[in-house]
Amino acid sequence: MELLTTPFATFEGKIRDQLGRILGPGGFDPARDITGITVNRWPHGYAYEYNALWDPDWPEGQRPCEVGRKRFGRIAIANSDAAAAAYTDQAIDQAYRAVQELLRG
């Protein structure tokens, strides 16, 4: 119930504060670098898995999970959504991919 009744402004303020404290020493500025925040109030997480029967046949590199995980400056996205598979091993694989992208510069 707390998750559902917490105002978005509270989530936003805490997210901006935490990211600023964690990433600020590396040059991150929440006011400059955050363009949007989404809060999923579901009591569980779920990564959408594509199905060839009803999902579009996107061109190589254009599936939403591929577009969404594209590197943005020094930010690399890694989670199960980035793999379009709701499994821990996929989240770990995406974390490895993201770190490799950052190490390559």
Side-chain angles (χ1 to χ4, degrees):
M1 185 57 129
E2 183 179 344
L3 179 63
L4 295 175
T5 59
T6 301
F8 176 79
T10 300
F11 282 106
E12 181 181 26
K14 290 183 181 285
I15 290 167
R16 288 179 179 278
D17 174 62
Q18 290 175 3
L19 288 175
R21 286 186 288 122
I22 294 167
L23 303 173
F28 182 82
D29 176 7
R32 179 193 66 217
D33 298 327
I34 296 175
T35 58
I37 296 173
T38 301
V39 175
N40 183 350
R41 294 175 190 254
W42 288 35
H44 58 83
Y46 178 77
Y48 181 78
E49 294 188 39
Y50 301 112
N51 185 311
L53 294 176
W54 54 75
D55 285 320
D57 186 20
W58 287 287
E60 182 71 28
Q62 293 302 305
R63 291 186 309 160
C65 69
E66 295 169 315
V67 172
R69 70 180 179 224
K70 285 186 178 175
R71 186 173 161 188
F72 183 77
R74 295 183 296 166
I75 299 172
I77 304 299
N79 53 33
S80 60
D81 291 309
Y87 305 102
T88 302
D89 65 313
Q90 295 300 306
I92 292 168
D93 289 348
Q94 290 301 312
Y96 181 82
R97 175 203 45 80
V99 169
Q100 297 307 307
E101 286 178 8
L102 292 172
L103 291 174
R104 285 192 295 270

